[in-house]
Amino acid sequence: MKAKAAACVLVCALGGAALTGCLGAPSATMTEEQASNRQFMAQVNQTMVDFQDRIDGFNDAVSAGDLVGMRTQADNAFRVLDALEKLEAPEALADVKQGYVDGCAAMKEALSDYVALYGDIEGATEADPFDWGTYDSRIAEVKQAYDDGLAKLQAADEAAAAKE
């Protein structure tokens, strides 16, 4: 029960990591650089929308107590985050992209660690029980990775907004 409650907290928190980006109405006097920057930020925003969809699937799997589904949905989320890393950023937004990539890496770590924790709990047997003495510290590590990721994503958002 404790694991499911923690999972819901993690998934809600991960789902709350929405990025705002630098989108606005195009101007007739927009330069090629501005257009390139806006296109990149639109791609980043779409990637994060896709990530949210995958996290919703992960949340459904957690609610169902479906470890295989959690792993599948986590892998789907990882593919979306990997796509972000492959996006080509305009030179002016290279540091912003790196902030998003770093934030996503921390989010991937949090999600991976949570799935591993849940797997360890689910796989425990009478002969090899789960060590509940490690539970709080492992959840704290998941939360720390999530908080780090969120902070990096927010910093990347702020950096992108400052360049607008």
Side-chain angles (χ1 to χ4, degrees):
M1 190 58 145
K2 212 175 185 185
K4 284 188 180 184
C8 289
V9 169
L10 172 66
V11 171
C12 290
L14 283 172
L19 302 176
T20 57
C22 297
L23 296 178
S27 165
T29 61
M30 183 183 300
T31 67
E32 188 175 317
E33 180 182 358
Q34 288 170 323
S36 180
N37 291 350
R38 286 179 189 267
Q39 181 181 8
F40 172 72
M41 291 310 302
Q43 291 172 323
V44 168
N45 283 334
Q46 184 57 54
T47 300
M48 297 317 294
V49 167
D50 294 345
F51 176 68
Q52 178 63 50
D53 290 344
R54 298 326 181 272
I55 290 300
D56 289 346
F58 180 81
N59 190 27
D60 292 343
V62 169
S63 294
D66 178 7
L67 182 58
V68 172
M70 278 188 258
R71 286 183 178 142
T72 299
Q73 294 303 323
D75 287 343
N76 290 341
F78 297 161
R79 279 192 286 281
V80 170
L81 296 177
D82 291 343
L84 176 69
E85 191 169 350
K86 293 176 184 173
L87 292 177
E88 285 194 40
E91 188 175 323
L93 295 177
D95 59 330
V96 171
K97 177 191 174 190
Q98 191 58 52
Y100 287 125
V101 169
D102 293 346
C104 288
M107 291 295 189
K108 285 171 68 172
E109 180 184 340
L111 200 53
S112 292
D113 289 351
Y114 182 78
V115 170
L117 174 60
Y118 194 89
D120 290 349
I121 293 169
E122 189 78 11
T125 64
E126 192 172 312
D128 187 21
F130 178 73
D131 180 5
W132 286 99
T134 65
Y135 179 83
D136 288 340
S137 66
R138 288 179 70 182
I139 282 293
E141 289 171 11
V142 168
K143 184 179 180 329
Q144 183 61 52
Y146 164 76
D147 289 343
D148 289 347
L150 184 58
K152 289 174 182 174
L153 292 173
Q154 288 173 335
D157 272 350
E158 290 167 8
K163 292 181 186 255
E164 181 60 18

